Amino acid sequence: NAGVTQTPKFQVLKTGQSMTLQCAQDMNHNSMYWYRQDPGMGLRLIYYSASEGTTDKGEVPNGYNVSRLNKREFSLRLESAAPSQTSVYFCASSDVLAGVGADTQYFGPGTRLTVL
Amino acid sequence: AQSVTQPDIHITVSEGASLELRCNYSYGATPYLFWYVQSPGQGLQLLLKYFSGDTLVQGIKGFEAEFKRSQSSFNLRKPSVHWSDAAEYFCAVGGDDMRFGAGTRLTVKP
């Protein structure tokens, strides 16, 4: 079991360039998430997908798009990167408990993105 | 909207000493509460969680946390800290729309 995998691990972009961050999980989880982590701000939710075919905005969705390609994969796209999007990006997945909602989230190792 | 406050940005304790990390939350309904730990350069790992029932929950690595509804708190404790506990600790509340605190960095002195 690889758990949650993310590619790439590191990326440097110039302002205005686009890129897609890939995430895959092999735990058969329904829910998947994208977060960004900035110093002193903890993790902030960008988008999440509660099931295949659905996506919802989180706390900081502006400048990002997502695709839930299938149950395993959830990608994050930056169409026109800006220096304010320099951050560490984490993907996570979770199972769902009946009557409770999302349970423990399992995190990938992160992607460190720098936008110049 | 739910939110989490971790009042301590950085805490230093001596190895073998006890530890308490504070967490206060704001949530409209019964909160689902979590503590995660992050080692440098790594993703987050769950330490423990509270959904309902006994307000004192046990987690991995000897950690425990107590849910106090009257104080809107979910503080993390460990009776004796080990050098390997040095990391950043995050409190979180919610389900799909999870909210994380800003984190508390723990340094352990030998």
Side-chain angles (χ1 to χ4, degrees):
Chain A
N1 263 5
V4 179
T5 57
Q6 293 183 235
T7 55
K9 285 189 169 50
F10 301 93
Q11 184 71 48
V12 178
L13 294 177
K14 294 181 180 177
T15 297
Q17 288 185 316
S18 62
M19 79 160 296
T20 300
L21 280 65
Q22 306 286 353
C23 174
Q25 53 94 6
D26 62 1
M27 295 173 281
N28 201 36
H29 287 165
N30 286 313
S31 298
M32 296 186 73
Y33 313 83
W34 276 105
Y35 293 91
R36 59 177 290 172
Q37 184 177 30
D38 302 293
M41 303 192 73
L43 275 76
R44 292 181 292 168
L45 183 65
I46 303 172
Y47 272 93
Y48 67 97
S49 169
S51 62
E52 188 178 349
T54 69
T55 60
D56 285 285
K57 295 178 181 179
E59 194 181 354
V60 289
N62 291 345
Y64 305 94
N65 286 301
V66 291
S67 295
R68 183 74 183 268
L69 305 169
N70 47 55
K71 192 170 186 179
R72 288 188 65 247
E73 298 171 290
F74 189 40
S75 62
L76 178 72
R77 182 159 179 85
L78 287 70
E79 290 290 352
S80 178
S84 61
Q85 295 178 303
T86 293
S87 187
V88 181
Y89 291 84
F90 287 98
C91 178
S93 71
S94 171
D95 212 341
V96 176
L97 290 180
V100 173
D103 195 2
T104 302
Q105 295 190 15
Y106 295 83
F107 286 81
T111 295
R112 188 173 295 273
L113 175 67
T114 301
V115 183
L116 302 175
Chain B
Q2 62 257 36
S3 65
V4 176
T5 301
Q6 293 180 247
D8 304 305
I9 296 172
H10 186 202
I11 284 182
T12 300
V13 300
S14 297
E15 190 168 16
S18 63
L19 171 71
E20 182 168 26
L21 302 183
R22 296 183 291 163
C23 172
N24 294 98
Y25 67 89
S26 171
Y27 197 74
T30 301
Y32 304 129
L33 295 158
F34 304 81
W35 274 101
Y36 286 86
V37 61
Q38 184 182 33
S39 298
Q42 305 293 316
L44 278 70
Q45 179 187 20
L46 180 75
L47 283 176
L48 47 79
K49 61 188 177 187
Y50 171 79
F51 286 169
S52 64
D54 192 347
T55 56
L56 184 64
V57 292
Q58 303 296 321
I60 63 171
K61 305 183 182 185
F63 285 92
E64 65 178 27
E66 186 170 13
F67 169 60
K68 293 185 177 180
R69 185 185 298 275
S70 61
Q71 298 177 18
S72 297
S73 69
F74 188 55
N75 293 350
L76 182 72
R77 301 193 294 246
K78 187 169 185 178
S80 177
V81 169
H82 188 263
W83 65 266
S84 60
D85 293 325
E88 189 145 21
Y89 292 79
F90 294 93
C91 182
V93 64
D96 276 329
D97 192 10
M98 187 86 78
R99 291 288 188 265
F100 284 81
T104 298
R105 182 170 299 279
L106 174 65
T107 298
V108 181
K109 292 190 304 185

